[in-house]
Amino acid sequence: MPQILLTGGAGYIGSHTFVALREAGYGVTILDDFSNADASVIDRLGRLTQGPVDVVEGSVLDRALLDHTFAEKSFDGVVHFAARKAVGESVAKPLDYFETNITGLVTLAQAMRAAAVWRIVFSSTATVYGEPEVFPLTENLPLSHTSPYAFTKLTAERVLEQAAAADPFTVGVLRYFNPVGAHPSGLIGEDPRGIPDNLMPFIAKVALGEISELQVFGDDYDTPDGTCWRDYIHVMDLARAHVLSLEALMAGRGHVLNVGTGRPVSVLEMHAAYQAAVGRDLPYRIVDRRPGDVPRLYADPARARDVLGFSAELGLSEMCASSWNWVQAQAAGWRFNS
Ligand code: WQD
């Protein structure tokens, strides 16, 4: 059974990828410092995969821990999620983001090289496209950054590209658009700490009654209903893309790919879809634009289809229904979930 090290595997996308990898027949070890994940997720992952979950608690910045981990088990590859990912926070704490997201990646790659573990799937983001002028977004567009967070992801991509020129790394870079939704069991999902930044967890809090109304950040953009377009992709589709990426690396095929649906959705469309999933009105108010938002951001998904045979399958109603199911199960303490 091929063995994979999943850094940040206790997090939102990491936990869903853990389940997908286990179901695909991989052995998976999670390395996580639980700085942005509730430790209870490990028990819930065990319930989902009917077995023990191998966990190494610690940071990718801890080289000795990484060396020990690679000495303990022979890994066939790494899927690297462990990173700080809040755009706004990165503006306030750029050095923390450079340390975790760049130094952390370099430390991990050095430990991989020392252990001759050469396959890595890297979690990147569509914000490496900066403020694009042409749509849909293809992978050959020029890259730029509009935040320290985006700078770290762009730099990490280039670190891996240079490392692969010097050593036999096989690299899969996946540029996510907007991950949303949750596993249908309701046992794992997005679990932001404090007030959510992102749209769907915010609407979910309105649906739970924890927040009184959704604030729609501007309806004067150049889109049909005036609110921003984004390419929301179900986290179950995204997890499946990671399995396919790893399979390509096992066959020696590196890649840099957008992972999106190619179908833009506006803020008001997302609000309406969530309202339909909940079955009652969810109050919202149009407020000023949020600084830094771009009007449109959506993928050309063709290369992922051609290279990995990947296409997103789950639509907006499944994204909203699975999110609503998750937040209700979380509020109930998962007492009633299989
Ligand atoms: C989506 C749309 C908001 C909240 C960010 C990061 C990106 C990635 C995903 C890490 C925008 C609007 C939002 C609200 C709103 N993260 N909105 N009211 O900004 O596209 O992407 O998260 O990889 O790197 O940049 O996602 O969910 O914050 O916003 O109107 O309360 O919803 O203006 O148009 P975004 P988002």
Side-chain angles (χ1 to χ4, degrees):
M1 180 188 291
Q3 296 294 326
I4 303 301
L5 181 67
L6 207 55
T7 75
Y12 173 38
I13 302 164
S15 56
H16 288 80
T17 302
F18 174 88
V19 175
L21 284 169
R22 292 289 296 119
E23 289 174 352
Y26 289 89
V28 185
T29 299
I30 287 174
L31 184 142
D32 205 302
D33 63 6
F34 294 95
S35 58
N36 194 25
D38 188 311
S40 67
V41 69
I42 300 301
D43 168 62
R44 288 178 271 119
L45 286 174
R47 287 161 62 183
L48 273 174
T49 55
Q50 284 91 40
V53 177
D54 292 337
V55 179
V56 174
E57 183 165 356
S59 165
V60 288
L61 287 161
D62 184 341
R63 174 68 191 271
L65 178 65
L66 291 172
D67 288 343
H68 176 75
T69 302
F70 284 122
E72 284 288 291
K73 189 178 291 183
S74 169
F75 287 101
D76 299 277
V78 174
V79 182
H80 180 43
F81 291 107
R84 295 169 181 261
K85 71 168 191 89
V87 171
E89 184 186 52
S90 77
V91 175
K93 302 177 180 174
L95 292 176
D96 293 350
Y97 273 67
F98 299 158
E99 181 182 47
T100 305
N101 295 7
I102 298 173
T103 308
L105 170 79
V106 171
T107 307
L108 173 65
Q110 286 175 317
M112 289 175 66
R113 180 180 61 180
V117 176
W118 298 117
R119 302 180 187 95
I120 179 169
V121 177
F122 176 64
S123 167
S124 191
T125 167
T127 40
V128 299
Y129 294 117
E131 300 189 346
E133 305 286 327
V134 293
F135 298 94
L137 301 186
T138 53
E139 289 82 354
N140 60 348
L141 282 173
L143 306 184
S144 67
H145 61 276
T146 55
S147 69
Y149 163 73
F151 172 82
T152 68
K153 288 296 186 176
L154 174 54
T155 303
E157 287 194 17
R158 291 185 169 146
V159 162
L160 287 169
E161 183 185 32
Q162 295 301 312
D167 287 301
F169 287 102
T170 307
V171 180
V173 173
L174 300 184
R175 292 174 179 162
Y176 310 159
F177 280 70
N178 289 61
V180 293
H183 189 275
S185 68
L187 284 171
I188 53 175
E190 189 167 9
D191 186 10
R193 304 232 153 140
I195 302 287
D197 288 327
N198 295 138
L199 179 61
M200 186 174 275
F202 204 100
I203 298 177
K205 296 263 186 205
V206 175
L208 283 173
E210 292 179 17
I211 294 175
S212 60
E213 65 179 8
L214 168 68
Q215 296 188 330
V216 175
F217 296 144
D219 68 347
D220 55 352
Y221 287 99
D222 178 20
T223 60
D225 67 11
T227 63
C228 292
W229 272 1
R230 291 292 182 274
D231 186 332
Y232 299 98
I233 180 164
H234 199 298
V235 68
M236 295 296 286
D237 277 329
L238 187 55
R240 182 166 53 86
H242 286 77
V243 179
L244 293 170
S245 174
L246 203 52
E247 286 169 5
L249 299 190
M250 302 294 257
R253 291 184 285 116
H255 44 274
V256 177
L257 298 172
N258 290 336
V259 186
T261 67
R263 295 186 297 275
V265 168
S266 77
V267 177
L268 289 179
E269 286 168 331
M270 175 63 82
H271 170 265
Y274 212 103
Q275 202 163 253
V278 173
R280 59 179 155 77
D281 284 354
L282 301 177
Y284 74 89
R285 186 158 50 90
I286 307 292
V287 298
D288 292 340
R289 292 182 173 192
R290 179 173 69 176
D293 275 340
V294 294
R296 301 168 184 226
L297 205 58
Y298 59 102
D300 178 338
R303 269 188 65 73
R305 184 187 60 237
D306 298 344
V307 171
L308 300 183
F310 172 79
S311 289
E313 295 169 357
L314 297 168
L316 198 50
S317 58
E318 289 101 338
M319 295 175 199
C320 296
S322 62
S323 167
W324 179 227
N325 180 52
W326 150 252
V327 295
Q328 293 178 95
Q330 187 184 27
W334 302 289
R335 282 187 296 276
F336 312 112
N337 291 69
S338 57

